[in-house]
Amino acid sequence: MSNSSTFTLASSQTSHPQQKSETNSLVASLPVVSLPPKACLTDSYAASLAEKGGHQGWDHYQEDVLPSKSLSKPLRNIRYIILNIYRRLFTVCFLVNAAILMWIAIKGGAETPYIGTIVVGNIFAAVLIRQDHVVNELFKIFTAVPQSAPLWVRTTFARVYSLGGIHSGSSMAATMWLFYFTVKVTQDLLGDKASPELVGLTYTILAMLCIIIALAMPAFRRLHHDSFEMIHRFLGWSATALLWAQTVLLIRDYKSPTVPLGAAILRAPAFWLVLILTLSITTSWLTLRKVSVRPTVLSNHALRLDFDYATPVPGSFTRISSSPLTEWHSFAIIAVPGRQGYSMIISKAGDWTSKAIAEPPNEVWVRGVPACGVMNIVPLFRRVLIVATGSGIAPCAPHVFAKRAEIKLLWTSRNIRKTYGDAFVDSILEAAPDAIIYDTDAHGRPDLVKLVHHVYKDFDAEAVCIIANEPITRKVVYGLMTRGVPAFGAIWDS
């Protein structure tokens, strides 16, 4: 159950608990924009520079009266928190498996190889739903819904970034079935059907899965994310290797004496499932390579990296590393319109990013392909309010530049030009002249739910997409969804 961002917004992690994760890292791309001299800017463009004192779009928002929230508080919490889409998918995956297990138990049990195939099938589903190519194809399918479709259809399909619930649900289900499988092979060992080697491998794999699941729980993962990732990665690889041995031994122990082992292996569904899931895991690592980057230090808080090796779509993210076996950091990216390659801006939010800004790299490790993230859903809607707080502007910037939908940008931050540089801020404002930039140094922290709702109504948007830290994202999405506003933001459950 790795973190999505998947999904979710993927983020880098630090090695210190108090720094939590780098979910708030500035993760965007900066196209090279040819800006007119400031003296030549039109009056309307200059008037849009809200950070210079204009209040366009949010005057008197504090006087608004928010609509009442739907349902009672207990029902709201069940509907929008406990049973969000991610948890519904998790629940369906797990309960369907639990129902099948109960049905088999009531029937008097099933053959051990059949149970083993179910175990492998659930591991297969958990791995495949996280594979970058699979993620991209699912996003392509779910976001292909035309803008003419009913809004409820588009908002439902936009929850595609919650598919990590299938990963978690299938992982838990696989472990549940493996417990049952362990009981079966232990009984078969006593009956001289299963070999001691098979039983020993089964207990070892079960222990590995239990450790992976225990350390993937949010409480541990948030405090010790680097440790979680390393354990998840190396135990996952080890479990996959042992799964191969277990599958072969299972087939050997239970095949008919008249069938050659090779033929029995080729006929076994478990063999092909393990083969495909292994290819799914290795594909990303087979593309591991070191690529050149062109670093540009924007400030003591932000660094821009320019790449030429690929041209991803808006809403994608990629992983980079300076030590590929120990840590990876995910950042949102953008392809510059009309140009090959992409850029990435990294803000100071932990040890790794601080070092990168102080000592800009000329080469970094990359693997796999850029994968779609939550902001990839923007083109599903005709009019979208994009909300960014601080460095959250980064994942939003690609859509501002790409203009694949009518977008209104609301960016709340402090020291914007000092932190992100004039070129970046001016390029945002040139692409979105009506953008609202709320300077929290000048105006204080806003009531973000009320401010977002005000701009949402004023812009007549169909949906709201927000990129912020976890507490703000959860508060705003909950505050809007409970008032009937389609709102989307990164999740931290997967």
Side-chain angles (χ1 to χ4, degrees), residues 330-357:
S330 298
F331 298 100
I333 54 181
I334 183 176
V336 178
R339 293 180 56 192
Q340 182 178 353
Y342 67 89
S343 300
M344 172 189 298
I345 299 180
I346 303 170
S347 73
K348 183 184 294 185
D351 291 346
W352 190 88
T353 52
S354 297
K355 182 179 179 181
I357 295 171

Side-chain angles (χ1 to χ4, degrees), residues 277-328:
L277 73 86
T278 303
L279 291 174
S280 172
I281 294 170
T282 57
T283 297
S284 171
W285 291 93
L286 290 174
T287 58
L288 177 69
R289 69 272 196 202
K290 184 175 282 190
V291 298
S292 299
V293 299
R294 298 186 304 278
T296 303
V297 177
L298 302 177
S299 68
N300 61 2
H301 184 78
L303 167 72
R304 188 180 82 211
L305 299 178
D306 295 303
F307 299 81
D308 293 324
Y309 76 94
T311 305
V313 299
S316 301
F317 69 91
T318 193
R319 308 172 188 89
I320 64 174
S321 176
S322 56
S323 179
L325 289 180
T326 58
E327 61 178 345
W328 285 87

Side-chain angles (χ1 to χ4, degrees), residues 167-179:
H167 169 77
S168 302
S170 297
S171 299
M172 290 291 290
T175 306
M176 175 185 67
W177 280 105
L178 189 55
F179 270 105

Side-chain angles (χ1 to χ4, degrees), residues 145-147 149-158 380-382 462:
V145 178
Q147 292 180 348
L151 182 60
W152 70 267
V153 173
R154 288 177 283 141
T155 55
T156 301
F157 277 67
L380 276 171
F381 305 100
R382 289 187 286 265
E462 286 188 320

Side-chain angles (χ1 to χ4, degrees), residues 76-94:
R76 285 200 307 269
N77 290 342
I78 292 173
R79 168 67 178 82
Y80 296 105
I81 299 177
I82 298 174
L83 290 180
N84 59 27
I85 298 295
Y86 173 93
R87 291 195 176 107
R88 284 184 235 171
L89 291 172
F90 173 93
T91 303
V92 168
C93 285
F94 186 78

Side-chain angles (χ1 to χ4, degrees), residues 174-359:
T175 306
M176 175 185 67
W177 280 105
L178 189 55
F179 270 105
Y180 181 49
F181 180 81
T182 303
V183 172
K184 291 285 291 182
V185 294
T186 302
Q187 293 172 342
D188 290 348
L189 174 65
L190 299 176
D192 293 329
K193 290 183 180 180
S195 64
E197 306 90 72
L198 174 60
V199 176
L201 282 174
T202 299
Y203 275 94
T204 303
I205 295 172
L206 178 61
M208 287 180 171
L209 290 185
C210 289
I211 292 172
I212 290 173
I213 289 175
L215 299 187
M217 294 300 169
F220 179 88
R221 193 175 65 231
R222 290 168 184 162
L223 293 176
H224 310 283
H225 195 275
D226 286 345
S227 298
F228 156 73
E229 281 202 341
M230 288 188 64
I231 293 170
H232 198 88
R233 180 179 303 120
F234 288 107
L235 276 186
W237 289 348
S238 301
T240 302
L242 294 182
L243 185 62
W244 271 106
Q246 182 194 45
T247 301
V248 172
L249 289 175
L250 178 65
I251 296 170
R252 185 201 68 180
D253 290 354
Y254 291 87
K255 73 178 182 65
S256 170
T258 60
V259 179
L261 178 59
I265 289 174
L266 293 177
R267 293 176 187 173
F271 166 77
W272 295 104
L273 291 174
V274 174
L275 176 63
I276 295 172
L277 73 86
T278 303
L279 291 174
S280 172
I281 294 170
T282 57
T283 297
S284 171
W285 291 93
L286 290 174
T287 58
L288 177 69
R289 69 272 196 202
K290 184 175 282 190
V291 298
S292 299
V293 299
R294 298 186 304 278
T296 303
V297 177
L298 302 177
S299 68
N300 61 2
H301 184 78
L303 167 72
R304 188 180 82 211
L305 299 178
D306 295 303
F307 299 81
D308 293 324
Y309 76 94
T311 305
V313 299
S316 301
F317 69 91
T318 193
R319 308 172 188 89
I320 64 174
S321 176
S322 56
S323 179
L325 289 180
T326 58
E327 61 178 345
W328 285 87
H329 304 267
S330 298
F331 298 100
I333 54 181
I334 183 176
V336 178
R339 293 180 56 192
Q340 182 178 353
Y342 67 89
S343 300
M344 172 189 298
I345 299 180
I346 303 170
S347 73
K348 183 184 294 185
D351 291 346
W352 190 88
T353 52
S354 297
K355 182 179 179 181
I357 295 171
E359 304 172 15

